[in-house]
Amino acid sequence: MSAIEIAAVSKVYAGGVRAVSEVSLSIADGEFIVLVGPSGCGKSTLLRMIAGLETISSGTVTIGSRVVNDIDPAARNIAMVFQNYALYPHMSVYDNLAYGLRNRGVPKADIDARVAEAARMLEIEPFLERKPKQLSGGQRQRVAMGRAIVRKPDAFLFDEPLSNLDAKLRVSMRGEIRQLQRRLGVTSVYVTHDQLEAMTLADRIVVLNGGRVEQVGRPLDVYHSP
Ligand code: ADP
Ligand code: ADP
């Protein structure tokens, strides 16, 4: 059984723009999929439909064994990581990590344990009492990863998470994301326009063009084909 099954999914925006056309894709448990393709090809729209941030015009998205078309984002058990971090500026790093768990009524001892584990993995323990503005860009991106990890999600969805970072940091964070994903074994879908990022991260690359799947393959198959 696939972890995520995308079956003939299309998106037509109000106004008639057909952003995604009949995309089908079976994503295996623990697999790291990278979506690439030119600007406007529908990468972000597809990711947002998996996340539940955008309605699906036709087709179905199944996560685990549940069709999630009509299930709202909070109940999908997925975690998104964005380029703008989406951290709460007035909260400490600890509270940023704990907030969603508190809202869901996770017991305090469990929250403490999950936050501690994520903080250790991401090496952000020294910063737990700081506010986001007291952190560097790389540290903030680690906190954003931490927020995703503590949810214990069925899948990570990444929307160009590294594009605001400088080149050097991008390379090191890329490695960290890949290591972390391998270690946790969480199925991941990652959107980028950076070919090198796609090559390094992906088990399989999906090339979109004009809202359709143009090619699917392992990194060397995709980038070595004529
Ligand atoms: P990508 O992430 O590959 O750059 P997008 O998914 O953002 O592509 O966009 C795909 C197409 O859908 C583009 O033509 C874009 O202009 C259009 N689009 C994206 N968001 C909206 C929206 N909210 N309303 C109408 N059209 C949109
Ligand atoms: P929670 O984490 O319990 O969902 P939040 O207040 O952190 O609560 O988030 C508010 C909304 O934003 C939620 O409905 C949730 O769907 C969404 N959300 C927050 N963080 C993430 C994340 N990392 N990945 C996916 N959705 C998120």
Side-chain angles (χ1 to χ4, degrees):
M1 196 185 65
S2 321
I4 303 178
E5 185 75 35
I6 298 165
V9 164
S10 298
K11 174 70 183 184
V12 181
Y13 281 110
V17 177
R18 198 171 177 81
V20 171
S21 274
E22 301 272 324
V23 166
S24 294
L25 185 67
S26 295
I27 303 174
D29 197 24
E31 193 173 24
F32 202 117
I33 291 284
V34 179
L35 301 177
V36 299
S39 177
C41 71
K43 303 183 291 294
S44 176
T45 300
L46 182 58
L47 194 77
R48 292 168 60 82
M49 285 192 286
I50 301 170
L53 301 175
E54 207 65 78
T55 59
I56 297 167
S57 304
S58 63
T60 56
V61 172
T62 309
I63 301 178
S65 53
R66 272 196 313 173
V67 173
V68 295
N69 286 44
D70 298 320
I71 292 178
D72 74 49
R76 286 184 186 204
N77 202 29
I78 47 84
M80 284 207 73
V81 184
F82 301 97
Q83 62 179 269
N84 58 8
Y85 323 119
L87 301 179
Y88 299 111
H90 57 290
M91 287 184 198
S92 69
V93 168
Y94 178 92
D95 286 330
N96 265 282
L97 296 178
Y99 182 75
L101 301 178
R102 284 189 191 125
N103 282 349
R104 263 176 280 135
V106 176
K108 181 164 185 332
D110 193 9
I111 294 177
D112 282 344
R114 289 202 209 180
V115 170
E117 190 190 4
R120 187 177 43 75
M121 269 193 252
L122 292 157
E123 297 176 2
I124 53 174
E125 291 142 309
F127 317 123
L128 282 173
E129 297 313 317
R130 290 199 200 166
K131 299 281 170 60
K133 67 168 187 295
Q134 299 168 303
L135 301 175
S136 70
Q139 290 164 347
R140 281 182 212 159
Q141 195 49 262
R142 286 200 188 89
V143 177
M145 279 296 298
R147 283 210 351 186
I149 288 173
V150 295
R151 298 169 70 93
K152 296 192 186 290
D154 294 329
F156 291 135
L157 304 178
F158 298 94
D159 196 354
E160 307 224 15
L162 306 183
S163 55
N164 279 345
L165 304 177
D166 65 54
K168 198 169 152 218
L169 198 52
R170 226 161 36 224
V171 171
S172 71
M173 287 297 297
R174 188 165 81 200
E176 286 186 37
I177 287 177
R178 191 61 175 109
Q179 268 189 331
L180 209 60
Q181 190 272 345
R182 282 239 167 85
R183 198 152 135 201
L184 298 169
V186 177
T187 309
S188 298
V189 184
Y190 190 106
V191 166
T192 183
H193 58 262
D194 182 330
Q195 181 172 324
L196 207 57
E197 215 167 280
M199 297 267 304
T200 335
L201 288 170
D203 292 318
R204 280 191 302 158
I205 292 175
V206 175
V207 184
L208 294 178
N209 203 349
R212 294 180 183 279
V213 175
E214 189 174 75
Q215 205 183 348
V216 183
R218 287 171 302 169
L220 289 176
D221 299 334
V222 169
Y223 287 116
H224 276 190
S225 63

